[in-house]
Amino acid sequence: MTPKIALFASGSGSNVENIVRYFAGKKTVEFPLILSNKQDAFVHERAKMLGVPSVTFSRDEFADGRKIVSLLDKYEVDFIVLAGFLLKVSLPILEAYPNKIINIHPALLPKFGGKGMYGHHVHQAVVDAGETHSGITIHYVNEQYDEGSIIFQATCEVSVGDTPDMVADKVHALEYRYFPEVIEKLAIGVL
Ligand code: GAR
C-alpha cells in the first residue's frame, strides 16, 4: 500500500508545493490532504493548483484533536508532515500518530528553537547572534516545541553582512533540496 501523508502548513506553503511536485509521477507516496490553521494562508491557493484538497481548522479544533483525527482517518493518512506549521501539536493528535509526525525547523536545533521561534524570527536571531552557520533540522514531533529526536540536518554558511532574508533564502534552498528525499526515505522505511 502506498503511504499516505497529510501536509500541515500555516503560511505560504512553498515547501508543501515543492514536496508535492517532487512526488508527482512517482508512486512512492500520496498526499490526500493539506491542512492549515489559517483560512487565508497562501498554501490553500497552492493546494488548488496542485489538485489536492485543503481544509482549515480552528485553534480549538486543533487542541481538541477529535475532528482532525477523524478527518485523517477518513483519508487513511499514515504520516503527518509539518511544513511551515506554527502551532504546537496537541496530545490527541500525537497519540493518534506516535512517531509518525515530523517537522522541519529552519535552523540547527537545539539552537534557535522553542516557542516563538519560527520563520523570520529564527533567521533574525541567527544573524543577531553572529552565527557563521545555519541550516535545517528535520525531527520527530513530541509535546515540546522543536524537541523531538533529530532525523536529519544540513548546514549553510552565514556570511558577514547577510540579512535575515538572505539567510532565509539559503535555508529554503536546503529545505527544497532535502525535505522531500527525507520524507520519501521515512515513508518507505529506509531511514
Ligand atoms: C520554512 O522555512 C519552515 O522551515 C519554517 O517556516 C517556513 C515556511 O515556509 N518552519 C518553522 O519555522 C517552524 N518552526 P513555506 O511556507 O514557504 O514553506
Side-chain angles (χ1 to χ4, degrees), residues 135-147:
I136 60 170
T137 304
I138 300 168
H139 63 94
Y140 286 105
V141 172
N142 67 14
E143 326 68 83
Q144 303 304 326
Y145 272 115
D146 304 326
E147 288 187 14

Side-chain angles (χ1 to χ4, degrees), residues 89-107:
V89 178
S90 62
L91 210 52
I93 298 173
L94 286 170
E95 283 171 352
Y97 285 87
N99 278 319
K100 297 270 170 62
I101 308 177
I102 66 167
N103 177 48
I104 192 158
H105 186 76

Side-chain angles (χ1 to χ4, degrees), residues 11-15 83-86 104-106 117-119 146 172 175:
S12 160
S14 73
N15 273 286
F85 182 67
L86 306 184
I104 192 158
H105 186 76
M117 276 295 181
Y118 58 87
D146 304 326
H172 261 128
E175 294 181 332

Side-chain angles (χ1 to χ4, degrees), residues 35-101:
L35 301 98
S36 180
N37 58 314
K38 297 265 187 216
Q39 183 74 60
D40 59 353
F42 190 66
V43 72
H44 294 294
E45 301 307 314
R46 295 191 198 262
K48 271 185 219 134
M49 278 185 319
L50 295 164
V52 179
S54 73
V55 297
T56 306
F57 51 81
S58 70
R59 196 178 271 265
D60 286 349
E61 285 168 341
F62 192 60
D64 175 78
R66 281 174 293 186
K67 188 176 159 191
I68 291 169
V69 170
S70 76
L71 193 61
L72 296 173
D73 273 352
K74 186 177 139 196
Y75 282 88
E76 301 178 324
V77 166
D78 302 298
F79 296 93
I80 294 175
V81 170
L82 311 182
F85 182 67
L86 306 184
L87 297 183
K88 191 159 152 181
V89 178
S90 62
L91 210 52
I93 298 173
L94 286 170
E95 283 171 352
Y97 285 87
N99 278 319
K100 297 270 170 62
I101 308 177

